[in-house]
Short mmCIF file of all heavy atoms in Angstrom, two decimals:
data_model
loop_
_atom_site.label_atom_id
_atom_site.label_comp_id
_atom_site.label_asym_id
_atom_site.label_seq_id
_atom_site.Cartn_x
_atom_site.Cartn_y
_atom_site.Cartn_z
N ALA A 188 -0.36 -3.70 -6.98
CA ALA A 188 -0.09 -4.53 -8.17
C ALA A 188 0.91 -5.60 -7.76
O ALA A 188 1.56 -5.50 -6.70
CB ALA A 188 0.47 -3.67 -9.31
N PRO A 189 1.07 -6.64 -8.61
CA PRO A 189 2.12 -7.62 -8.33
C PRO A 189 3.48 -6.94 -8.21
O PRO A 189 3.76 -5.94 -8.86
CB PRO A 189 2.06 -8.55 -9.54
CG PRO A 189 0.67 -8.41 -10.06
CD PRO A 189 0.29 -6.97 -9.81
N GLY A 190 4.33 -7.51 -7.36
CA GLY A 190 5.60 -6.88 -7.06
C GLY A 190 6.66 -7.10 -8.12
O GLY A 190 6.53 -7.92 -9.02
N ASP A 191 7.72 -6.32 -7.97
CA ASP A 191 8.93 -6.50 -8.76
C ASP A 191 10.11 -6.22 -7.84
O ASP A 191 9.93 -5.92 -6.66
CB ASP A 191 8.94 -5.62 -10.02
CG ASP A 191 8.85 -4.13 -9.71
OD1 ASP A 191 8.87 -3.75 -8.52
OD2 ASP A 191 8.78 -3.33 -10.67
N GLN A 192 11.32 -6.39 -8.35
CA GLN A 192 12.53 -6.10 -7.59
C GLN A 192 12.55 -6.82 -6.24
O GLN A 192 12.95 -6.27 -5.20
CB GLN A 192 12.70 -4.59 -7.40
CG GLN A 192 12.77 -3.82 -8.72
CD GLN A 192 12.88 -2.32 -8.54
OE1 GLN A 192 13.10 -1.83 -7.43
NE2 GLN A 192 12.74 -1.59 -9.63
N GLY A 193 12.07 -8.07 -6.24
CA GLY A 193 12.14 -8.90 -5.05
C GLY A 193 10.95 -8.84 -4.13
O GLY A 193 10.88 -9.58 -3.14
N ALA A 194 9.98 -7.98 -4.41
CA ALA A 194 8.78 -7.87 -3.57
C ALA A 194 7.66 -8.74 -4.13
O ALA A 194 7.55 -8.96 -5.33
CB ALA A 194 8.32 -6.42 -3.50
N ASP A 195 6.79 -9.22 -3.22
CA ASP A 195 5.62 -9.97 -3.66
C ASP A 195 4.54 -9.05 -4.22
O ASP A 195 3.79 -9.44 -5.11
CB ASP A 195 5.05 -10.78 -2.49
CG ASP A 195 5.99 -11.89 -2.05
OD1 ASP A 195 6.21 -12.83 -2.83
OD2 ASP A 195 6.50 -11.80 -0.92
N PHE A 196 4.46 -7.85 -3.67
CA PHE A 196 3.47 -6.88 -4.15
C PHE A 196 4.00 -5.48 -3.87
O PHE A 196 4.89 -5.27 -3.03
CB PHE A 196 2.10 -7.08 -3.49
CG PHE A 196 2.11 -6.96 -1.99
CD1 PHE A 196 1.93 -5.72 -1.37
CD2 PHE A 196 2.28 -8.08 -1.18
CE1 PHE A 196 1.94 -5.60 0.01
CE2 PHE A 196 2.30 -7.96 0.21
CZ PHE A 196 2.13 -6.73 0.80
N VAL A 197 3.43 -4.51 -4.58
CA VAL A 197 3.76 -3.10 -4.36
C VAL A 197 2.46 -2.34 -4.09
O VAL A 197 1.36 -2.83 -4.40
CB VAL A 197 4.50 -2.48 -5.56
CG1 VAL A 197 5.81 -3.21 -5.81
CG2 VAL A 197 3.63 -2.50 -6.81
N SER A 198 2.60 -1.16 -3.54
CA SER A 198 1.40 -0.36 -3.23
C SER A 198 1.76 1.10 -3.10
O SER A 198 2.93 1.48 -2.96
CB SER A 198 0.77 -0.84 -1.91
OG SER A 198 1.63 -0.58 -0.82
N ARG A 199 0.73 1.93 -3.17
CA ARG A 199 0.75 3.31 -2.72
C ARG A 199 -0.58 3.59 -2.03
O ARG A 199 -1.60 2.99 -2.39
CB ARG A 199 0.97 4.29 -3.88
CG ARG A 199 2.41 4.23 -4.42
CD ARG A 199 2.60 5.05 -5.67
NE ARG A 199 2.40 6.48 -5.43
CZ ARG A 199 2.27 7.38 -6.41
NH1 ARG A 199 2.32 6.99 -7.69
NH2 ARG A 199 2.11 8.65 -6.12
N CYS A 200 -0.57 4.51 -1.04
CA CYS A 200 -1.73 4.70 -0.19
C CYS A 200 -2.05 6.20 -0.05
O CYS A 200 -1.15 6.99 0.24
CB CYS A 200 -1.48 4.11 1.20
SG CYS A 200 -1.17 2.33 1.17
N PHE A 201 -3.33 6.52 -0.22
CA PHE A 201 -3.77 7.92 -0.27
C PHE A 201 -4.90 8.13 0.73
O PHE A 201 -5.92 7.41 0.69
CB PHE A 201 -4.24 8.26 -1.68
CG PHE A 201 -3.20 7.96 -2.74
CD1 PHE A 201 -3.22 6.75 -3.42
CD2 PHE A 201 -2.21 8.88 -3.04
CE1 PHE A 201 -2.27 6.46 -4.39
CE2 PHE A 201 -1.25 8.60 -4.01
CZ PHE A 201 -1.28 7.39 -4.68
N TYR A 202 -4.74 9.15 1.62
CA TYR A 202 -5.72 9.40 2.69
C TYR A 202 -6.05 10.89 2.83
O TYR A 202 -5.98 11.43 3.94
CB TYR A 202 -5.18 8.85 4.01
CG TYR A 202 -4.87 7.38 3.97
CD1 TYR A 202 -3.56 6.93 3.86
CD2 TYR A 202 -5.88 6.42 4.03
CE1 TYR A 202 -3.26 5.58 3.81
CE2 TYR A 202 -5.60 5.07 3.99
CZ TYR A 202 -4.28 4.66 3.87
OH TYR A 202 -4.00 3.32 3.82
N PRO A 203 -6.43 11.57 1.78
CA PRO A 203 -6.72 13.00 1.92
C PRO A 203 -7.90 13.28 2.84
O PRO A 203 -7.99 14.38 3.41
CB PRO A 203 -7.00 13.46 0.48
CG PRO A 203 -7.35 12.21 -0.26
CD PRO A 203 -6.55 11.12 0.38
N ALA A 204 -8.80 12.32 3.03
CA ALA A 204 -9.96 12.55 3.90
C ALA A 204 -9.55 12.76 5.35
O ALA A 204 -10.29 13.37 6.13
CB ALA A 204 -10.93 11.37 3.80
N VAL A 205 -8.36 12.26 5.74
CA VAL A 205 -7.87 12.47 7.11
C VAL A 205 -6.60 13.32 7.11
O VAL A 205 -5.79 13.27 8.04
CB VAL A 205 -7.64 11.14 7.85
CG1 VAL A 205 -8.96 10.44 8.11
CG2 VAL A 205 -6.68 10.23 7.08
N GLY A 206 -6.41 14.13 6.06
CA GLY A 206 -5.34 15.09 6.04
C GLY A 206 -3.99 14.57 5.57
O GLY A 206 -2.98 15.25 5.75
N VAL A 207 -3.95 13.39 4.94
CA VAL A 207 -2.70 12.81 4.47
C VAL A 207 -2.86 12.48 2.99
O VAL A 207 -3.49 11.48 2.63
CB VAL A 207 -2.34 11.53 5.26
CG1 VAL A 207 -1.01 10.95 4.76
CG2 VAL A 207 -2.28 11.82 6.75
N ASP A 208 -2.31 13.33 2.13
CA ASP A 208 -2.50 13.11 0.70
C ASP A 208 -1.94 11.75 0.27
O ASP A 208 -2.64 10.94 -0.34
CB ASP A 208 -1.84 14.23 -0.11
CG ASP A 208 -2.65 15.51 -0.08
OD1 ASP A 208 -3.79 15.48 0.42
OD2 ASP A 208 -2.13 16.54 -0.53
N GLU A 209 -0.66 11.51 0.55
CA GLU A 209 -0.07 10.19 0.31
C GLU A 209 0.78 9.82 1.51
O GLU A 209 1.68 10.56 1.90
CB GLU A 209 0.78 10.16 -0.96
CG GLU A 209 1.41 8.78 -1.19
CD GLU A 209 2.07 8.58 -2.54
OE1 GLU A 209 2.13 9.56 -3.31
OE2 GLU A 209 2.52 7.46 -2.83
N ASP A 210 0.49 8.65 2.07
CA ASP A 210 1.24 8.17 3.22
C ASP A 210 2.48 7.43 2.73
O ASP A 210 2.38 6.56 1.86
CB ASP A 210 0.36 7.23 4.05
CG ASP A 210 0.88 7.05 5.46
OD1 ASP A 210 1.46 7.99 6.01
OD2 ASP A 210 0.69 5.95 6.00
N PRO A 211 3.67 7.74 3.27
CA PRO A 211 4.88 7.12 2.73
C PRO A 211 4.94 5.60 2.87
O PRO A 211 5.26 4.90 1.91
CB PRO A 211 6.00 7.80 3.52
CG PRO A 211 5.46 9.13 3.90
CD PRO A 211 4.00 8.86 4.18
N VAL A 212 4.65 5.07 4.06
CA VAL A 212 4.63 3.62 4.29
C VAL A 212 3.55 3.35 5.33
O VAL A 212 3.62 3.89 6.44
CB VAL A 212 5.97 3.06 4.78
CG1 VAL A 212 5.96 1.53 4.68
CG2 VAL A 212 7.14 3.62 4.02
N THR A 213 2.58 2.49 5.02
CA THR A 213 1.36 2.38 5.81
C THR A 213 1.21 0.98 6.37
O THR A 213 0.84 0.04 5.67
CB THR A 213 0.13 2.73 4.95
OG1 THR A 213 0.41 3.92 4.20
CG2 THR A 213 -1.10 2.94 5.81
N GLY A 214 1.47 0.83 7.68
CA GLY A 214 1.34 -0.48 8.29
C GLY A 214 -0.07 -1.02 8.26
O GLY A 214 -0.30 -2.19 7.91
N SER A 215 -1.06 -0.19 8.62
CA SER A 215 -2.44 -0.67 8.66
C SER A 215 -2.91 -1.12 7.28
O SER A 215 -3.68 -2.08 7.16
CB SER A 215 -3.37 0.41 9.21
OG SER A 215 -3.35 1.58 8.40
N ALA A 216 -2.45 -0.46 6.22
CA ALA A 216 -2.84 -0.87 4.87
C ALA A 216 -2.31 -2.27 4.54
O ALA A 216 -2.91 -3.00 3.75
CB ALA A 216 -2.32 0.13 3.84
N HIS A 217 -1.18 -2.64 5.16
CA HIS A 217 -0.63 -3.96 4.88
C HIS A 217 -1.45 -5.08 5.54
O HIS A 217 -1.33 -6.24 5.14
CB HIS A 217 0.85 -4.02 5.27
CG HIS A 217 1.73 -3.41 4.23
ND1 HIS A 217 1.84 -2.04 4.07
CD2 HIS A 217 2.50 -3.97 3.26
CE1 HIS A 217 2.66 -1.79 3.06
NE2 HIS A 217 3.07 -2.93 2.55
N CYS A 218 -2.30 -4.74 6.50
CA CYS A 218 -3.27 -5.73 6.99
C CYS A 218 -4.29 -6.02 5.90
O CYS A 218 -4.75 -7.16 5.74
CB CYS A 218 -3.96 -5.20 8.24
SG CYS A 218 -2.86 -4.94 9.64
N THR A 219 -4.67 -5.00 5.14
CA THR A 219 -5.59 -5.17 4.01
C THR A 219 -4.88 -5.84 2.84
O THR A 219 -5.41 -6.78 2.23
CB THR A 219 -6.12 -3.78 3.58
OG1 THR A 219 -6.61 -3.08 4.72
CG2 THR A 219 -7.22 -3.91 2.55
N LEU A 220 -3.67 -5.39 2.53
CA LEU A 220 -2.90 -5.98 1.43
C LEU A 220 -2.60 -7.45 1.70
O LEU A 220 -2.61 -8.27 0.78
CB LEU A 220 -1.61 -5.20 1.25
CG LEU A 220 -1.78 -3.80 0.66
CD1 LEU A 220 -0.59 -2.91 1.01
CD2 LEU A 220 -1.96 -3.87 -0.86
N ALA A 221 -2.34 -7.81 2.96
CA ALA A 221 -2.06 -9.21 3.29
C ALA A 221 -3.25 -10.11 2.98
O ALA A 221 -3.08 -11.23 2.50
CB ALA A 221 -1.69 -9.33 4.77
N ALA A 222 -4.47 -9.59 3.25
CA ALA A 222 -5.65 -10.39 2.95
C ALA A 222 -5.77 -10.68 1.47
O ALA A 222 -6.12 -11.80 1.06
CB ALA A 222 -6.90 -9.66 3.46
N HIS A 223 -5.46 -9.67 0.64
CA HIS A 223 -5.58 -9.86 -0.81
C HIS A 223 -4.45 -10.73 -1.36
O HIS A 223 -4.70 -11.75 -2.02
CB HIS A 223 -5.57 -8.51 -1.52
CG HIS A 223 -5.62 -8.63 -3.01
ND1 HIS A 223 -6.78 -8.89 -3.69
CD2 HIS A 223 -4.65 -8.56 -3.96
CE1 HIS A 223 -6.53 -8.96 -4.99
NE2 HIS A 223 -5.23 -8.77 -5.17
N TRP A 224 -3.21 -10.35 -1.08
CA TRP A 224 -2.09 -11.03 -1.74
C TRP A 224 -1.78 -12.38 -1.11
O TRP A 224 -1.27 -13.27 -1.80
CB TRP A 224 -0.87 -10.12 -1.74
CG TRP A 224 -1.05 -8.96 -2.68
CD1 TRP A 224 -1.23 -7.65 -2.35
CD2 TRP A 224 -1.11 -9.01 -4.10
NE1 TRP A 224 -1.40 -6.88 -3.47
CE2 TRP A 224 -1.32 -7.69 -4.57
CE3 TRP A 224 -1.01 -10.05 -5.04
CZ2 TRP A 224 -1.43 -7.39 -5.92
CZ3 TRP A 224 -1.11 -9.75 -6.38
CH2 TRP A 224 -1.33 -8.43 -6.81
N GLY A 225 -2.10 -12.56 0.16
CA GLY A 225 -1.93 -13.88 0.75
C GLY A 225 -2.78 -14.92 0.05
O GLY A 225 -2.32 -16.02 -0.29
#
């Protein structure tokens, strides 16, 4: 969603298919997020 508290965007990332219910901070997801929010 659009960001708040000084961020341009916020996110949460969920990967139960590879054994990670919620990933705390996901670098690879920010390659995807950059495409959208840029």
